[in-house]
Amino acid sequence: MLLTIAAFIVALGLLIAVHEYGHYRVAVACGVKVLRFSVGFGKPLLRWQPQGSPTEFVLGAFPLGGYVRMLDEREAPVAAEERHLAFNTQPLRSRAAIVAAGPIANLLLAVLLYSVVNWNGVEEPRAILASPVAGSVAHSAGLRGGELVEQAALGAEDLEPVRSFEDLRWLLTRGALEGLNVRLDVQSAHGAGHREVVLDMSRIDSREADAQLFRKVGILGPWTRPVLGQVMAQSAAERSGLRQGDVVLKVGQTDVVDGQQLRELIRQSVRGNEPLAQPWRVERGGQVMTLEVLPEAVAEPANTVGRIGAYVGAAPEFVTVDYGLADGLWGGVVKTWDVSLLTLRMMGRMVIGEASLKNLSGPLTIADYAGRSASMGLTQYLIFLALISVSLGVLNLLPLPVLDGGHLMYYLWEGVTGRGVSDAWMERLQRGGVAVLLVMMSIALFNDITRLFG
């Protein structure tokens, strides 16, 4: 819990500070007087003003946001000798640059974070496929598990190298959400030659980008040996005589070839709502034995599945993925661009009803992911920060009043018509924007509570 809170606060503080610094830095460069730079709202916990600077820096008690307050005639009277320092007196291009600088700073931070990950290198599972889910897109395409994916592409794009399973997972996510087929160049199990496989993503209803999405695709994880890890006390596995280190050779009449297949067999070991006992053939210390295994029936939202209370599958084969200076930076740019486009597409699909509003996440889910990623190490936490930074940048560029993108729309109107938006219309639009944001926040918070406590 403490790690989750700390990781969440650090993430919020960093992303908000970078966003507001973008506004601040460009405002100063444009000759605007900045009165206050605040990370957080409410009662100031900490404040300071560097000698010779007109700006007061503040750390607020409520961390969900921040602001840069500039000299502005619309907010308070401005002395005649300082009028040239006011935000509202600046040329249109300067005002637009100041407003756009916040979201752009978040996107640049994402580029930097993804680049750092690329430069440092990360241990990721090799792109060897586990047994696909029966009846899934991957299974229908002829994949059976053990294939090494060497190249892949979306739609008619050129095949590109797949360096790890995470590369493949990202491509599958894009294909499923964008409705584009995924082409895989695979080396068959045991090096039995190459072939191209096409995954027909049009079969997938991707309105909800949830955990079931990859079950529909059929590729849930990399290949692993069908060995048992830690066995929980008083679990079905312990009662059946299973032990850590057992290699499962057969369940009932089915030969077991990998950990993913074994997990699926365990899930399917129920009839109706009752668990089904089956003989398991296992290898233990060089000896082969048969055990009668009775799983537990566990209710899930969609159906009832079997569980044995043991970690199933050995660790996958890992590779080190790293890049040189230029390639790592370019990879950071490309990843930021791809994530931004995917975020925009998902938002657009939610607006027109092609994607569920259940995909919206709020502060509770973000805090949960912050804690999880931090517990997995610095690299995963940096990837999490980059993803949230992209989301914050894209969200703030939306043409919604009260957001930076809304103000940019006002400036576009001013540039086209030669006059600014009237005060009356500005007030109406601001009220509408606040209402939309409150609705979005309410839905996101409801989704958080359902996801984490439902």
Side-chain angles (χ1 to χ4, degrees), residues 111-123:
V111 170
L112 176 62
L113 292 172
Y114 281 131
S115 299
V116 169
V117 170
N118 290 340
W119 294 328
N120 286 345
V122 58
E123 291 288 312

PDB file of all heavy atoms in Angstrom, residues 111-123:
ATOM      1  N   VAL A 111       8.679  10.746 -24.803  1.00  0.00           N
ATOM      2  CA  VAL A 111       9.771  10.391 -25.724  1.00  0.00           C
ATOM      3  C   VAL A 111      11.046  10.111 -24.940  1.00  0.00           C
ATOM      4  O   VAL A 111      11.742   9.107 -25.184  1.00  0.00           O
ATOM      5  CB  VAL A 111      10.012  11.529 -26.740  1.00  0.00           C
ATOM      6  CG1 VAL A 111      11.296  11.274 -27.537  1.00  0.00           C
ATOM      7  CG2 VAL A 111       8.830  11.657 -27.689  1.00  0.00           C
ATOM      8  N   LEU A 112      11.351  10.964 -23.971  1.00  0.00           N
ATOM      9  CA  LEU A 112      12.561  10.790 -23.163  1.00  0.00           C
ATOM     10  C   LEU A 112      12.493   9.497 -22.351  1.00  0.00           C
ATOM     11  O   LEU A 112      13.476   8.732 -22.302  1.00  0.00           O
ATOM     12  CB  LEU A 112      12.743  11.990 -22.237  1.00  0.00           C
ATOM     13  CG  LEU A 112      13.915  11.906 -21.256  1.00  0.00           C
ATOM     14  CD1 LEU A 112      15.235  11.813 -22.009  1.00  0.00           C
ATOM     15  CD2 LEU A 112      13.920  13.106 -20.305  1.00  0.00           C
ATOM     16  N   LEU A 113      11.363   9.231 -21.709  1.00  0.00           N
ATOM     17  CA  LEU A 113      11.239   8.032 -20.875  1.00  0.00           C
ATOM     18  C   LEU A 113      11.348   6.764 -21.713  1.00  0.00           C
ATOM     19  O   LEU A 113      12.052   5.811 -21.333  1.00  0.00           O
ATOM     20  CB  LEU A 113       9.908   8.057 -20.124  1.00  0.00           C
ATOM     21  CG  LEU A 113       9.771   9.150 -19.047  1.00  0.00           C
ATOM     22  CD1 LEU A 113       8.352   9.205 -18.522  1.00  0.00           C
ATOM     23  CD2 LEU A 113      10.756   8.899 -17.910  1.00  0.00           C
ATOM     24  N   TYR A 114      10.654   6.710 -22.839  1.00  0.00           N
ATOM     25  CA  TYR A 114      10.759   5.536 -23.717  1.00  0.00           C
ATOM     26  C   TYR A 114      12.196   5.384 -24.232  1.00  0.00           C
ATOM     27  O   TYR A 114      12.702   4.258 -24.365  1.00  0.00           O
ATOM     28  CB  TYR A 114       9.804   5.663 -24.902  1.00  0.00           C
ATOM     29  CG  TYR A 114       8.369   5.334 -24.588  1.00  0.00           C
ATOM     30  CD1 TYR A 114       7.334   6.188 -24.970  1.00  0.00           C
ATOM     31  CD2 TYR A 114       8.021   4.153 -23.930  1.00  0.00           C
ATOM     32  CE1 TYR A 114       6.004   5.884 -24.694  1.00  0.00           C
ATOM     33  CE2 TYR A 114       6.698   3.844 -23.650  1.00  0.00           C
ATOM     34  CZ  TYR A 114       5.694   4.716 -24.034  1.00  0.00           C
ATOM     35  OH  TYR A 114       4.381   4.416 -23.765  1.00  0.00           O
ATOM     36  N   SER A 115      12.856   6.509 -24.515  1.00  0.00           N
ATOM     37  CA  SER A 115      14.240   6.445 -24.996  1.00  0.00           C
ATOM     38  C   SER A 115      15.164   5.898 -23.919  1.00  0.00           C
ATOM     39  O   SER A 115      16.046   5.081 -24.210  1.00  0.00           O
ATOM     40  CB  SER A 115      14.708   7.841 -25.434  1.00  0.00           C
ATOM     41  OG  SER A 115      13.917   8.341 -26.490  1.00  0.00           O
ATOM     42  N   VAL A 116      14.981   6.347 -22.666  1.00  0.00           N
ATOM     43  CA  VAL A 116      15.807   5.850 -21.554  1.00  0.00           C
ATOM     44  C   VAL A 116      15.642   4.345 -21.410  1.00  0.00           C
ATOM     45  O   VAL A 116      16.622   3.609 -21.202  1.00  0.00           O
ATOM     46  CB  VAL A 116      15.442   6.576 -20.246  1.00  0.00           C
ATOM     47  CG1 VAL A 116      16.080   5.886 -19.048  1.00  0.00           C
ATOM     48  CG2 VAL A 116      15.883   8.034 -20.305  1.00  0.00           C
ATOM     49  N   VAL A 117      14.402   3.869 -21.516  1.00  0.00           N
ATOM     50  CA  VAL A 117      14.161   2.423 -21.446  1.00  0.00           C
ATOM     51  C   VAL A 117      14.902   1.715 -22.580  1.00  0.00           C
ATOM     52  O   VAL A 117      15.538   0.669 -22.376  1.00  0.00           O
ATOM     53  CB  VAL A 117      12.647   2.127 -21.510  1.00  0.00           C
ATOM     54  CG1 VAL A 117      12.393   0.631 -21.682  1.00  0.00           C
ATOM     55  CG2 VAL A 117      11.950   2.632 -20.248  1.00  0.00           C
ATOM     56  N   ASN A 118      14.822   2.282 -23.788  1.00  0.00           N
ATOM     57  CA  ASN A 118      15.517   1.679 -24.932  1.00  0.00           C
ATOM     58  C   ASN A 118      17.027   1.664 -24.731  1.00  0.00           C
ATOM     59  O   ASN A 118      17.705   0.686 -25.082  1.00  0.00           O
ATOM     60  CB  ASN A 118      15.185   2.458 -26.206  1.00  0.00           C
ATOM     61  CG  ASN A 118      13.744   2.272 -26.645  1.00  0.00           C
ATOM     62  OD1 ASN A 118      13.088   1.314 -26.252  1.00  0.00           O
ATOM     63  ND2 ASN A 118      13.244   3.190 -27.450  1.00  0.00           N
ATOM     64  N   TRP A 119      17.573   2.741 -24.183  1.00  0.00           N
ATOM     65  CA  TRP A 119      19.028   2.815 -23.985  1.00  0.00           C
ATOM     66  C   TRP A 119      19.502   1.871 -22.879  1.00  0.00           C
ATOM     67  O   TRP A 119      20.550   1.252 -23.005  1.00  0.00           O
ATOM     68  CB  TRP A 119      19.436   4.245 -23.649  1.00  0.00           C
ATOM     69  CG  TRP A 119      19.216   5.218 -24.760  1.00  0.00           C
ATOM     70  CD1 TRP A 119      19.297   4.964 -26.105  1.00  0.00           C
ATOM     71  CD2 TRP A 119      18.867   6.602 -24.638  1.00  0.00           C
ATOM     72  NE1 TRP A 119      19.016   6.102 -26.821  1.00  0.00           N
ATOM     73  CE2 TRP A 119      18.753   7.126 -25.964  1.00  0.00           C
ATOM     74  CE3 TRP A 119      18.651   7.458 -23.566  1.00  0.00           C
ATOM     75  CZ2 TRP A 119      18.427   8.448 -26.217  1.00  0.00           C
ATOM     76  CZ3 TRP A 119      18.329   8.788 -23.810  1.00  0.00           C
ATOM     77  CH2 TRP A 119      18.221   9.269 -25.120  1.00  0.00           C
ATOM     78  N   ASN A 120      18.740   1.802 -21.794  1.00  0.00           N
ATOM     79  CA  ASN A 120      19.141   0.947 -20.667  1.00  0.00           C
ATOM     80  C   ASN A 120      19.015  -0.530 -20.999  1.00  0.00           C
ATOM     81  O   ASN A 120      19.744  -1.368 -20.465  1.00  0.00           O
ATOM     82  CB  ASN A 120      18.308   1.260 -19.434  1.00  0.00           C
ATOM     83  CG  ASN A 120      18.713   2.571 -18.783  1.00  0.00           C
ATOM     84  OD1 ASN A 120      19.780   3.100 -19.074  1.00  0.00           O
ATOM     85  ND2 ASN A 120      17.865   3.080 -17.906  1.00  0.00           N
ATOM     86  N   GLY A 121      18.072  -0.852 -21.857  1.00  0.00           N
ATOM     87  CA  GLY A 121      17.809  -2.251 -22.157  1.00  0.00           C
ATOM     88  C   GLY A 121      16.877  -2.859 -21.132  1.00  0.00           C
ATOM     89  O   GLY A 121      16.836  -2.435 -19.977  1.00  0.00           O
ATOM     90  N   VAL A 122      16.107  -3.833 -21.558  1.00  0.00           N
ATOM     91  CA  VAL A 122      15.150  -4.479 -20.665  1.00  0.00           C
ATOM     92  C   VAL A 122      15.068  -5.958 -21.012  1.00  0.00           C
ATOM     93  O   VAL A 122      15.134  -6.341 -22.178  1.00  0.00           O
ATOM     94  CB  VAL A 122      13.761  -3.802 -20.778  1.00  0.00           C
ATOM     95  CG1 VAL A 122      13.238  -3.843 -22.208  1.00  0.00           C
ATOM     96  CG2 VAL A 122      12.769  -4.424 -19.826  1.00  0.00           C
ATOM     97  N   GLU A 123      14.967  -6.765 -19.969  1.00  0.00           N
ATOM     98  CA  GLU A 123      14.799  -8.199 -20.167  1.00  0.00           C
ATOM     99  C   GLU A 123      13.327  -8.477 -20.470  1.00  0.00           C
ATOM    100  O   GLU A 123      12.450  -8.195 -19.653  1.00  0.00           O
ATOM    101  CB  GLU A 123      15.218  -8.963 -18.906  1.00  0.00           C
ATOM    102  CG  GLU A 123      16.718  -8.927 -18.631  1.00  0.00           C
ATOM    103  CD  GLU A 123      17.501  -9.779 -19.614  1.00  0.00           C
ATOM    104  OE1 GLU A 123      17.110 -10.946 -19.833  1.00  0.00           O
ATOM    105  OE2 GLU A 123      18.491  -9.291 -20.174  1.00  0.00           O
TER     106      GLU A 123
END
